[in-house]
């Protein structure tokens, strides 16, 4: 099997894990693990794992001038991003999360225009508008009465905050990725994330009753730490060595499909006309906003 084929499988694997995570992670919140308790486990677990594999990477010194950018990247990508997503997942539904997290490319386009002075074309502008309409439609008209989703509009707004924070993280981390080995960068980002998230999440971590937690919930916790956090970074890193960024970016359209199918098959969510229409607007918007125009 060629490296290129393996890279495609890695990208598909990462996307599949993300899609499944929407339903699995919600299944244990908040009865067994609260959203913030989950984040403590996630950043600590990932930090330990990345430190472990960093010994196989070349030794690199972080330049003093880059620590500020690394700190900002950790705040955006491993604090605001993670906290808002898991809290939103508790309040909203798996399908809503699978759809709304895909607007990150739109956030990248908007932030790049403001921070990097990149030009917004007509196609990108139309994509931003359609994505915005789709997201607002889910917030205003996607509310349902569900015991496991106590505040869907607020949860959906947190998903958008999550997507914007992650988009900003990609913009901020762009120069760091080009300068440092991924293992080196990830170990420091997650180490800083542990320090940042500790005062916010540690109290919720202490509330976890490990004795009464069922075995399947342990499996979900392990899946989120090892799969959703650690493996997806590894898979995406390997995919980037063989595939173009535009090719990898195209896999973001697979995530909501996997997320929606898995949620429906497991009976954890249902489709409505609003969800279908909003999802279509968001995905078309993301496509237009991220499409490269040939010069």
């Amino acid at each position: 099997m060629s490296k290129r084929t393996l890279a495609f499988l890695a990208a598909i694997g990462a996307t599949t894990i993300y899609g499944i995570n929407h339903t699995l992670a919600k299944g244990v919140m908040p009865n067994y693990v609260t959203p913030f308790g989950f984040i403590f486990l996630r950043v600590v677990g990932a930090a330990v794992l990345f430190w472990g594999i960093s010994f196989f990477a070349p030794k690199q010194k972080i330049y003093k001038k880059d620590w500020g950018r690394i700190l900002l990247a950790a705040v955006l990508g491993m604090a605001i991003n993670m906290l808002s997503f898991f809290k939103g997942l508790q309040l909203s539904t798996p399908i809503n999360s699978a759809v709304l997290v895909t607007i990150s490319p739109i956030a990248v386009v908007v932030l790049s225009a403001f921070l990097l002075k990149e030009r917004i074309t007509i196609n990108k502008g139309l994509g931003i508008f359609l994505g915005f309409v789709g997201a607002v439609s889910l917030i205003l008209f996607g509310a349902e009465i569900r015991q496991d989703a106590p505040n869907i509009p607020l949860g959906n707004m947190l998903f958008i905050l999550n997507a914007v924070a992650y988009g900003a993280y990609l913009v901020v981390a762009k120069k760091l990725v080009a300068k440092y080995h991924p293992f080196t960068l990830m170990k420091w980002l997650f180490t800083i994330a542990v320090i940042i998230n500790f005062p916010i999440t540690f109290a919720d971590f202490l509330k976890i009753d490990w004795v009464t937690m069922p075995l399947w919930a342990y499996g979900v916790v392990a899946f989120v730490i090892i799969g959703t956090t650690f493996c997806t970074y590894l898979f995406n890193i390997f995919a980037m060595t063989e595939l173009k960024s535009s090719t990898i970016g195209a896999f973001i359209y697979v995530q909501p499909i996997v997320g929606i199918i898995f949620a429906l098959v497991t009976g954890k969510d249902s489709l409505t006309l609003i969800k279908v229409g909003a999802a279509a607007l968001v995905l078309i918007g993301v496509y237009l906003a991220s499409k490269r125009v040939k010069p």
Side-chain angles (χ1 to χ4, degrees), residues 172-256:
V172 171
K174 188 174 183 179
K175 291 184 178 180
L176 298 173
V177 172
K179 186 180 293 188
Y180 300 106
H181 190 280
F183 293 175
T184 302
L185 186 58
M186 288 301 120
K187 78 176 182 182
W188 286 116
L189 283 173
F190 276 103
T191 298
I192 294 173
V194 171
I195 298 171
I196 296 171
N197 286 298
F198 186 88
I200 305 171
T201 63
F202 187 64
D204 280 30
F205 166 72
L206 293 178
K207 294 177 183 177
I208 301 174
D209 190 346
W210 298 100
V211 176
T212 60
M213 184 184 294
L215 187 61
W216 66 265
Y218 275 98
V220 172
V221 170
F223 176 85
V224 171
I225 296 171
I226 300 173
T228 307
T229 310
F230 180 70
C231 287
T232 51
Y233 276 103
L234 285 181
F235 290 167
N236 282 326
I237 287 169
F238 176 71
M240 282 189 286
T241 64
E242 297 294 327
L243 303 175
K244 295 180 180 179
S245 297
S246 57
T247 302
I248 297 173
F251 282 94
I252 197 168
Y253 302 105
V254 180
Q255 187 182 151

Side-chain angles (χ1 to χ4, degrees), residues 22-291:
H22 298 285
T23 297
L24 290 185
K26 184 173 178 62
V28 300
M29 296 189 299
N31 294 332
Y32 300 110
V33 184
T34 64
F36 288 0
F38 238 137
I39 299 307
F40 180 87
L41 291 169
R42 191 176 180 186
V43 295
V44 171
V48 171
L49 291 171
F50 275 114
W51 269 97
I53 65 170
S54 68
F55 293 105
F56 298 98
K59 292 184 179 180
Q60 287 182 304
K61 179 182 177 181
I62 303 294
Y63 292 101
K64 189 175 181 180
K65 64 179 181 179
D66 289 329
W67 281 112
R69 183 178 288 269
I70 289 176
L71 174 61
L72 180 58
V75 170
L76 292 168
M78 283 79 180
I80 298 175
N81 167 48
M82 290 186 178
L83 291 169
S84 58
F85 173 76
F86 270 78
K87 187 62 179 178
L89 192 57
Q90 179 201 346
L91 298 175
S92 190
T93 69
I95 288 180
N96 285 345
S97 67
V99 171
L100 290 175
V101 297
T102 60
I103 68 172
S104 287
I106 294 178
V108 170
V109 170
V110 174
L111 291 168
S112 295
F114 282 102
L115 300 178
L116 305 179
K117 307 302 180 183
E118 293 185 2
R119 188 170 64 92
I120 295 181
T121 63
I122 295 176
N123 270 358
K124 290 182 185 293
L126 179 59
I128 292 168
F129 173 74
L130 291 176
F132 176 77
V133 171
V136 171
S137 297
L138 270 182
I139 291 174
L140 296 181
F141 308 113
E144 308 168 53
I145 300 175
R146 288 178 49 158
Q147 188 175 0
D148 66 339
N151 195 334
I152 290 177
L154 177 58
N156 290 345
M157 284 190 284
L158 288 173
F159 290 142
I160 294 176
L161 174 61
N162 153 259
V164 172
Y166 187 70
Y169 159 75
L170 293 177
V171 173
V172 171
K174 188 174 183 179
K175 291 184 178 180
L176 298 173
V177 172
K179 186 180 293 188
Y180 300 106
H181 190 280
F183 293 175
T184 302
L185 186 58
M186 288 301 120
K187 78 176 182 182
W188 286 116
L189 283 173
F190 276 103
T191 298
I192 294 173
V194 171
I195 298 171
I196 296 171
N197 286 298
F198 186 88
I200 305 171
T201 63
F202 187 64
D204 280 30
F205 166 72
L206 293 178
K207 294 177 183 177
I208 301 174
D209 190 346
W210 298 100
V211 176
T212 60
M213 184 184 294
L215 187 61
W216 66 265
Y218 275 98
V220 172
V221 170
F223 176 85
V224 171
I225 296 171
I226 300 173
T228 307
T229 310
F230 180 70
C231 287
T232 51
Y233 276 103
L234 285 181
F235 290 167
N236 282 326
I237 287 169
F238 176 71
M240 282 189 286
T241 64
E242 297 294 327
L243 303 175
K244 295 180 180 179
S245 297
S246 57
T247 302
I248 297 173
F251 282 94
I252 197 168
Y253 302 105
V254 180
Q255 187 182 151
I257 296 172
V258 173
I260 290 171
I261 291 174
F262 189 77
L264 293 175
V265 169
T266 56
K268 299 299 182 182
D269 206 346
S270 59
L271 278 176
T272 63
L273 190 59
I274 288 294
K275 289 179 182 178
V276 173
L281 286 173
V282 169
L283 291 178
I284 293 171
V286 171
Y287 171 75
L288 291 174
S290 58
K291 183 179 180 182

Side-chain angles (χ1 to χ4, degrees), residues 9-21 223 254-255 258-259:
L9 292 176
I12 292 172
T15 300
T16 302
I17 290 172
Y18 281 133
I20 293 173
N21 178 69
F223 176 85
V254 180
Q255 187 182 151
V258 173

